[in-house]
Amino acid sequence: MNLNTKNDLHLLSNNLRDFLISVSTSKKIAKGSYLFQEGMDAHELYLIKSGLVQVTKLTIDGDELSMQICSTNDIVGELTLYVDDAKYMLNASALEEIEVYAINKEILEKEFSKNPPLAFEYMRWMGLHLQRIQSKIRDLVLNGKKGALYSTLIRLSNSYGVQKKDGILIDLHLTNQDLAKFCATTRESVNRMLSDLRKRKIITMEASGKMLIHDLEPLRLEIGCENCPIEICNIF
């Protein structure tokens, strides 16, 4: 059982959740395929029914910065609502075969205009979502490469952590290159930082390739952790 895992539908009212599903159509997407790419016309947003989706942003140098890993009941493509001639600002690709509820943007906007409470609930959720993005950008900008990695590990533990007797297992297989994309740095830099954490016995790597974090406190101290609510401090 995941430790403290929260996804988007846990933060929505039952009315809004049921409505999003009721106006959607189900789609299956193959592993490695894109739900959408940066710059494409935006006509839909997506509620993940099953599988993992990675949300990324291309930097000015053409590098890929990972913003989120979204899973069952998370929403992607939401930033295009109420924008004329909307374009997707991010990329969303399937890390495995996925199934999503596709929700037409125009239908959603029309329904919200007839039902202000639903629209208010959606905007409340959007506000929380933007706080998540702002907190991640803060960590990337203010704390350097090491702080960015430590922040990512804390967020992963909040989202995919499983409590074990000797620490928290991040129940998600990520390569060092995957972690580098979350930190806007190189795989070599991540290798060195993880090696240092292993020497300090803060983390170990399981035979499965998953990471076990023995002590989160040194990571929190390094970035001046503000103990943000888990709804904000996560990888979703």
Side-chain angles (χ1 to χ4, degrees), residues 41 52 54 61 66 69 86 106 111 128 142-143 153 160 173 195 212 215 226:
D41 291 336
L52 294 175
Q54 185 171 42
D61 298 321
S66 292
I69 294 178
E106 291 185 4
E111 185 63 28
L128 181 60
L142 297 183
N143 295 306
L153 296 182
Y160 293 100
H173 190 278
S195 178
L212 181 68
D215 188 1
E226 298 175 352

Side-chain angles (χ1 to χ4, degrees), residues 9 12-25 45 47 81-82 101-115 118-119 122:
L9 279 190
L12 302 179
S13 70
N14 290 335
N15 286 341
L16 181 53
R17 178 193 63 209
D18 293 343
F19 167 71
L20 291 176
I21 294 174
S22 72
V23 298
S24 70
T25 56
L45 56 92
L47 177 63
L81 207 60
Y82 296 113
Y101 296 109
I103 305 159
N104 182 274
K105 176 176 172 288
E106 291 185 4
I107 290 176
L108 196 55
E109 290 174 348
K110 289 177 181 177
E111 185 63 28
F112 281 162
S113 70
K114 297 185 290 185
N115 194 326
L118 273 181
Y122 183 84

Side-chain angles (χ1 to χ4, degrees), residues 2-226:
N2 281 3
L3 177 72
N4 292 329
T5 299
K6 286 184 180 290
N7 50 40
D8 288 344
L9 279 190
H10 290 126
L11 306 176
L12 302 179
S13 70
N14 290 335
N15 286 341
L16 181 53
R17 178 193 63 209
D18 293 343
F19 167 71
L20 291 176
I21 294 174
S22 72
V23 298
S24 70
T25 56
S26 184
K27 293 183 179 180
K28 290 186 177 181
I29 309 294
K31 178 180 178 180
S33 298
Y34 282 92
L35 269 173
F36 52 81
Q37 291 180 276
E38 201 172 336
M40 288 175 53
D41 291 336
H43 301 297
E44 295 177 321
L45 56 92
Y46 303 91
L47 177 63
I48 302 171
K49 185 176 181 180
S50 63
L52 294 175
V53 172
Q54 185 171 42
V55 179
T56 61
K57 174 74 176 176
L58 288 179
T59 68
I60 194 170
D61 298 321
D63 297 324
E64 194 175 45
L65 173 63
S66 292
M67 303 296 294
Q68 299 170 282
I69 294 178
C70 301
S71 59
T72 303
N73 292 333
D74 290 326
I75 301 171
V76 292
E78 72 290 334
L79 296 177
T80 62
L81 207 60
Y82 296 113
V83 176
D84 293 334
D85 300 319
K87 307 283 185 183
Y88 290 115
M89 295 180 284
L90 302 169
N91 306 293
S93 59
L95 294 178
E96 56 193 23
E97 182 177 273
I98 63 171
E99 189 168 1
V100 297
Y101 296 109
I103 305 159
N104 182 274
K105 176 176 172 288
E106 291 185 4
I107 290 176
L108 196 55
E109 290 174 348
K110 289 177 181 177
E111 185 63 28
F112 281 162
S113 70
K114 297 185 290 185
N115 194 326
L118 273 181
F120 176 80
E121 175 65 20
Y122 183 84
M123 298 308 291
R124 185 187 67 82
W125 172 82
M126 274 295 301
L128 181 60
H129 180 70
L130 291 174
Q131 287 184 64
R132 296 177 190 167
I133 295 174
Q134 289 170 347
S135 70
K136 177 168 183 175
I137 292 173
R138 175 200 63 199
D139 292 343
L140 286 172
V141 172
L142 297 183
N143 295 306
K145 295 178 182 179
K146 183 182 289 187
L149 175 63
Y150 290 6
S151 170
T152 298
L153 296 182
I154 293 169
R155 292 170 187 274
L156 284 167
S157 73
N158 286 337
S159 298
Y160 293 100
V162 178
Q163 186 68 62
K164 301 291 185 179
K165 63 180 181 180
D166 52 351
I168 298 173
L169 178 71
I170 298 178
D171 193 20
L172 185 70
H173 190 278
L174 293 171
T175 67
N176 289 1
Q177 182 61 50
D178 293 329
L179 289 173
K181 290 179 180 179
F182 277 105
C183 305
T185 189
T186 64
R187 178 176 56 82
E188 291 76 16
S189 292
V190 168
N191 290 346
R192 289 193 294 270
M193 290 185 285
L194 291 179
S195 178
D196 177 65
L197 291 176
R198 286 195 294 270
K199 289 177 182 177
R200 293 162 58 191
K201 301 188 186 304
I202 293 172
I203 67 168
T204 55
M205 300 305 296
E206 301 281 282
S208 65
K210 296 177 181 178
M211 184 185 300
L212 181 68
I213 303 178
H214 299 289
D215 188 1
L216 282 171
E217 194 59 27
L219 308 183
R220 292 187 174 121
L221 288 173
E222 180 72 29
I223 65 173
C225 181
E226 298 175 352

